[in-house]
Amino acid sequence: MAAHKILIVEDEQVIREMIAFHLSRAGYETLEAADCRVARELLADKRPDLALIDWMLPDISGLELTRMLKRDKDYEDLAIIMLTARAGERDKISGLDGGADDYITKPFSPRELLARIQAVLRRSSSSDGEAVNAGVLELDKAGHRVLASGNEIKLGPTEFRLLRFLMTHPDRVYSRAQLLDRVWGANVYVEERTVDVHVRRLRKALSPGSANDYIQTVRGAGYRFSTRDDSSI
Ligand code: CA
């Protein structure tokens, strides 16, 4: 199973590096940002699973960033833990309801931080389940396995990520550009026809189980995953 990716948004370098040190020692992949601008770039480019966001940041407040992210459909899968300097701030933030999944008051021990992170990641991965089912397909997120009518389908890593994204966002049309952003990451300079190449490979891999019909081309718009037949295509 791939390591969870955690973004640390904290302007105080010593604290940020201390957190990064403990998280990488615990097996997480870490990303660091000292302000919201860099944080937004890393969020778009690297697609972390969780963001630790300090309340006091030099550009916009961590609370404001949290609110922006929680309103943004693009980050609906992102878990957020806010770091606050005083217990009083925590009450204030809770009252303001930035939408964070949890709050940690400084100073905290590495053990406490790790426990909170594990709890939040567990909650966010159980809310969407370890396995996704759609029609004859079953996708095991943790084991990186896909079954069609019970038979394992061999997929490359990009096809797996593409299928996982589509299966978890069914019945919605995504343009090639949107799929590049969501599956490949923003600012990854690949051409839009790359999406077509991987869709073709994915369909081919799924065709023995006839699940290839689930990946629908919506003319002039992009692709959609649906187990329903749709005559408008
Ligand atoms: Ca700070």
Side-chain angles (χ1 to χ4, degrees):
M1 185 173 156
H4 283 291
K5 218 183 277 181
I6 300 179
L7 170 66
I8 306 154
V9 191
E10 162 67 90
D11 56 318
E12 283 161 82
Q13 193 186 349
V14 176
I15 298 177
R16 194 177 66 238
E17 286 176 353
M18 184 271 288
I19 295 173
F21 169 77
H22 287 290
L23 295 188
S24 28
R25 208 170 59 168
Y28 295 106
E29 189 182 333
T30 60
L31 303 162
E32 297 180 41
D35 56 44
C36 291
R37 189 187 57 80
V38 175
R40 300 231 35 158
E41 286 173 8
L42 290 171
L43 284 162
D45 295 351
K46 308 286 185 191
R47 297 259 148 215
D49 303 289
L50 184 146
L52 288 172
I53 302 178
D54 187 41
W55 191 23
M56 295 299 285
L57 293 168
D59 42 5
I60 61 167
S61 80
L63 180 64
E64 198 51 44
L65 176 65
T66 301
R67 278 196 184 137
M68 272 159 36
L69 294 171
K70 284 293 173 184
R71 275 198 302 257
D72 193 334
K73 262 281 179 203
D74 259 8
Y75 296 107
E76 60 193 354
D77 302 329
L78 177 74
I80 298 179
I81 297 178
M82 285 210 72
L83 307 176
T84 69
R86 295 184 304 273
E89 277 183 5
R90 178 192 162 137
D91 299 338
K92 203 169 160 188
I93 292 172
S94 305
L96 291 167
D97 191 27
D101 299 279
D102 201 359
Y103 305 88
I104 301 179
T105 307
K106 293 178 188 171
F108 47 81
S109 66
R111 185 199 295 249
E112 184 190 358
L113 178 68
L114 289 169
R116 298 290 192 89
I117 287 173
Q118 278 158 12
V120 166
L121 286 174
R122 205 160 40 229
R123 278 208 301 275
S124 63
S125 73
S126 65
S127 65
D128 50 12
E130 282 300 299
V132 193
N133 291 283
V136 298
L137 288 182
E138 183 179 342
L139 183 138
D140 173 6
K141 287 187 188 173
H144 279 228
R145 268 169 26 116
V146 180
L147 304 175
S149 309
N151 300 313
E152 186 166 356
I153 303 273
K154 290 267 170 245
L155 293 179
T158 305
E159 283 72 44
F160 182 85
R161 284 205 311 275
L162 180 61
L163 181 63
R164 182 176 59 187
F165 176 77
L166 291 170
M167 282 181 76
T168 50
H169 299 81
D171 300 311
R172 266 152 61 180
V173 181
Y174 289 92
S175 68
R176 289 166 178 80
Q178 284 172 322
L179 287 172
L180 281 178
D181 275 5
R182 303 293 298 267
V183 178
W184 279 257
N187 305 322
V188 174
Y189 297 102
V190 289
E191 291 177 63
E192 291 195 358
R193 64 190 163 119
T194 302
V195 175
D196 302 324
V197 172
H198 289 279
V199 165
R200 210 153 44 229
R201 282 189 202 155
L202 181 55
R203 279 185 176 141
K204 194 168 172 228
L206 296 176
S207 59
S210 66
N212 53 317
D213 295 341
Y214 299 164
I215 321 281
Q216 304 171 349
T217 304
V218 182
R219 213 172 294 141
Y223 294 103
R224 165 176 56 203
F225 180 92
S226 182
T227 54
R228 296 193 299 249
D229 246 344
D230 194 330
S231 51
S232 72
I233 304 154

